[in-house]
Amino acid sequence: MQAKTALVLGGARSGKSVFAERLAEQSGLEAVYIATGQAYDDEMIERIVEHKERRGSMWMTIEEPLDLVGALVTHAREGRAVLVDCLTLWLTNLMMAERDIAAETARLALAIPGLAGTVMFVSNEVGLGIVPDNRMAREFRDHAGRLNQAVAAAVNDVYFIAAGLPLKMKG
Amino acid sequence: MQAKTALVLGGARSGKSVFAERLAEQSGLEAVYIATGQAYDDEMIERIVEHKERRGSMWMTIEEPLDLVGALVTHAREGRAVLVDCLTLWLTNLMMAERDIAAETARLALAIPGLAGTVMFVSNEVGLGIVPDNRMAREFRDHAGRLNQAVAAAVNDVYFIAAGLPLKMKG
Amino acid sequence: MQAKTALVLGGARSGKSVFAERLAEQSGLEAVYIATGQAYDDEMIERIVEHKERRGSMWMTIEEPLDLVGALVTHAREGRAVLVDCLTLWLTNLMMAERDIAAETARLALAIPGLAGTVMFVSNEVGLGIVPDNRMAREFRDHAGRLNQAVAAAVNDVYFIAAGLPLKMKG
């Protein structure tokens, strides 16, 4: 089987994680979940627990808040479907750690074509509301838009999810 | 004629209500409008008046802020096109009345396949902006996303509207 | 060559300007850029400079914050591709100048079918997030939605851009 990469883009509670999980489960490959989210507060803990319960025990879970490229190089391989959930939480972690976002974005985009097996990225589209009041939120929105563009250009398939339904934009 | 259900999803001022109204009017069926919005303030009153004027006098209007399933069971029937405008205002009313949102969502989704005639639901997609600052808005966004997913799974057709133009996502 | 008009709609950092620029450059026509943005602050200055650098020296740039229809009538002609970037910044300027937005929207929509050459409009979709807290932002969102609908109805082609990828909605 040839390497296959995908970006699953959507809004909050659009069903994008469930869609990506189903793609992975239907592939029949060994499923690996790379969780980028960190449990900062109760809401985040609830979401992480909910996601874990939904996926069940068939998945191997890796937690990696910052070195996503390292985790991908280590865990992506022939016969596996790796799901990264999600790029926007990874971006949040990078911003809090004051990393160079443009460099990290480029590093990920450059690594994607060389990954083995199937790799799926879940990400939030956050640029379709009104301009946010605070500068940090505007910067996050700009970085997220550029990251989504870079990953969309690097992967084979791109899906936009709304109300649980996929719209194929590339592939 | 067989029963037909649809979800018309879109942003604020995307033309989603007009699109759904045209679908109803072009069906040649008796048109019934279920308004879920309540006139809390001047802006809301303006919008309700504007919507009423646009629809004209051919429509029968039912106001039902909370018991949407009851209103649908009563008013949906063969030969009628019922338009629910909109699910996100209904959700707002449910949250203000401290109802169990998961239960109400499930009740609506379960009722849809059994409805007679044509029934169209208008709803807002609200999850494509930056994460809102306040918890209430985040909860609303989560509930709205889950409600849209549940209704999208239950209806025959789903349209996403942007700039007045429909994109068929299901059906 | 016959006149051709397009609306390129998308979120912040969705790649909509780059997509429209490429359409213009690939047309082989003389490229004219109508910039509606005004340099209010450092962020805006950065964006204007970034856009200018990307376009390079092949483009003729016109700055027109308010009289967009006048600029279009003057500069759009056979053999030219005119790119208006963007309608939502133009709307911001109109609101700050306390113009009649409904009248300006109608004036633009009515002028579009009579324009010569190729004319492309870039605009932001801003209605897919949570309802904004402040009235000014809600008004902007409503005006932007109506403006996008009016322009979408008047042009030949409409594209929705997400993560740099186009989805053709009309044409």
Side-chain angles (χ1 to χ4, degrees):
Chain A
M1 187 200 155
Q2 69 178 78
K4 188 82 183 162
T5 51
L7 171 64
V8 179
L9 195 65
R13 297 287 175 192
S14 63
K16 58 194 185 306
S17 294
V18 171
F19 177 81
E21 288 165 22
R22 270 190 216 140
L23 278 188
E25 288 166 0
Q26 287 164 3
S27 72
L29 304 171
E30 184 191 0
V32 179
Y33 186 87
I34 299 183
T36 57
Q38 289 182 294
Y40 292 121
D41 57 28
D42 290 354
E43 272 181 81
M44 199 61 217
I45 291 168
E46 267 177 51
R47 289 192 180 216
I48 290 172
V49 169
E50 189 195 307
H51 277 222
K52 274 197 184 168
E53 284 175 356
R54 194 177 57 214
R55 286 196 307 278
S57 56
M58 294 187 312
W59 290 72
M60 180 167 98
T61 299
I62 310 294
E63 295 186 17
E64 182 46 66
L66 290 169
D67 185 15
L68 178 56
V69 172
L72 284 168
V73 167
T74 306
H75 298 288
R77 65 186 69 155
E78 290 300 309
R80 277 192 176 173
V82 175
L83 198 169
V84 177
D85 195 357
C86 64
L87 291 182
T88 27
L89 286 173
W90 176 57
L91 174 60
T92 303
N93 299 336
L94 292 175
M95 287 180 74
M96 293 181 80
E98 300 188 0
R99 298 289 180 93
D100 177 338
I101 308 298
E104 296 282 350
T105 296
R107 207 176 139 229
L108 175 62
L110 287 169
I112 287 171
L115 296 173
T118 290
V119 181
M120 283 171 287
F121 299 90
V122 170
S123 190
N124 280 75
E125 168 60 54
V126 298
L128 290 159
I130 220 78
V131 180
D133 284 335
N134 76 80
R135 183 160 189 143
M136 183 79 176
R138 287 196 300 276
E139 283 179 8
F140 177 80
R141 195 169 77 140
D142 287 351
H143 288 315
R146 288 197 202 96
L147 176 59
N148 287 337
Q149 282 188 57
V151 173
V155 296
N156 304 119
D157 297 341
V158 178
Y159 299 91
F160 185 88
I161 311 290
L165 301 168
L167 182 74
K168 199 161 193 179
M169 298 197 73
K170 179 182 176 181
Chain B
M1 188 200 154
Q2 70 179 76
K4 188 82 183 161
T5 50
L7 171 64
V8 179
L9 194 65
R13 296 290 176 189
S14 63
K16 57 193 186 307
S17 294
V18 171
F19 177 81
E21 288 166 21
R22 270 190 218 139
L23 277 189
E25 287 167 2
Q26 286 164 4
S27 72
L29 303 171
E30 184 190 1
V32 179
Y33 186 87
I34 300 183
T36 58
Q38 288 183 296
Y40 292 121
D41 57 27
D42 289 356
E43 273 181 80
M44 198 62 218
I45 290 168
E46 265 176 51
R47 290 194 177 213
I48 290 172
V49 168
E50 189 194 306
H51 276 222
K52 274 198 182 167
E53 283 176 356
R54 194 177 57 215
R55 286 195 308 278
S57 57
M58 293 186 312
W59 289 72
M60 179 167 99
T61 299
I62 311 295
E63 295 184 18
E64 182 47 67
L66 290 169
D67 185 16
L68 178 57
V69 173
L72 284 168
V73 168
T74 306
H75 298 287
R77 65 186 68 154
E78 290 299 310
R80 277 191 177 173
V82 174
L83 197 169
V84 176
D85 196 357
C86 65
L87 291 181
T88 27
L89 286 174
W90 176 59
L91 174 60
T92 304
N93 299 336
L94 292 175
M95 287 179 75
M96 293 182 80
E98 300 187 1
R99 297 290 179 94
D100 179 338
I101 307 299
E104 295 282 349
T105 296
R107 206 176 141 229
L108 174 62
L110 287 169
I112 288 172
L115 295 173
T118 290
V119 181
M120 282 171 287
F121 299 90
V122 170
S123 190
N124 280 74
E125 168 59 54
V126 298
L128 289 160
I130 219 79
V131 180
D133 284 335
N134 76 80
R135 183 159 190 141
M136 183 79 175
R138 287 197 300 277
E139 284 179 7
F140 177 81
R141 196 170 76 140
D142 287 351
H143 289 315
R146 288 198 203 96
L147 175 59
N148 287 338
Q149 283 189 55
V151 173
V155 295
N156 304 118
D157 298 339
V158 178
Y159 299 91
F160 184 87
I161 311 289
L165 301 169
L167 183 73
K168 200 162 194 179
M169 298 196 73
K170 179 182 177 183
Chain C
M1 189 200 155
Q2 70 179 76
K4 188 82 182 161
T5 50
L7 171 64
V8 179
L9 195 65
R13 296 289 175 188
S14 63
K16 57 194 186 305
S17 294
V18 172
F19 177 81
E21 287 165 23
R22 270 191 218 139
L23 278 188
E25 287 166 2
Q26 287 164 4
S27 71
L29 303 172
E30 184 190 1
V32 179
Y33 186 87
I34 299 183
T36 57
Q38 289 184 294
Y40 292 121
D41 56 28
D42 289 355
E43 271 181 80
M44 198 63 217
I45 290 168
E46 266 176 51
R47 292 194 176 212
I48 289 172
V49 168
E50 188 194 308
H51 277 222
K52 274 197 184 168
E53 284 175 357
R54 194 177 58 213
R55 285 195 308 277
S57 57
M58 294 187 314
W59 289 72
M60 180 167 100
T61 299
I62 310 295
E63 295 185 16
E64 182 48 65
L66 290 169
D67 185 16
L68 178 57
V69 173
L72 284 167
V73 168
T74 304
H75 297 288
R77 65 186 68 156
E78 290 300 310
R80 278 192 177 174
V82 174
L83 198 170
V84 177
D85 195 358
C86 65
L87 291 181
T88 26
L89 286 173
W90 177 58
L91 174 60
T92 304
N93 300 336
L94 291 175
M95 287 180 73
M96 292 182 80
E98 301 188 0
R99 297 290 179 92
D100 178 338
I101 308 299
E104 295 282 350
T105 297
R107 207 177 139 229
L108 175 62
L110 287 168
I112 287 171
L115 296 173
T118 290
V119 182
M120 283 171 286
F121 299 90
V122 170
S123 190
N124 279 74
E125 168 60 54
V126 297
L128 289 159
I130 220 78
V131 180
D133 284 335
N134 75 80
R135 181 158 191 144
M136 183 79 175
R138 287 197 300 276
E139 283 180 7
F140 178 80
R141 196 169 76 138
D142 286 352
H143 288 315
R146 287 196 201 97
L147 176 59
N148 286 338
Q149 282 189 55
V151 173
V155 295
N156 304 117
D157 297 340
V158 178
Y159 298 90
F160 184 88
I161 312 290
L165 301 169
L167 183 74
K168 200 161 193 179
M169 298 198 72
K170 178 181 177 182

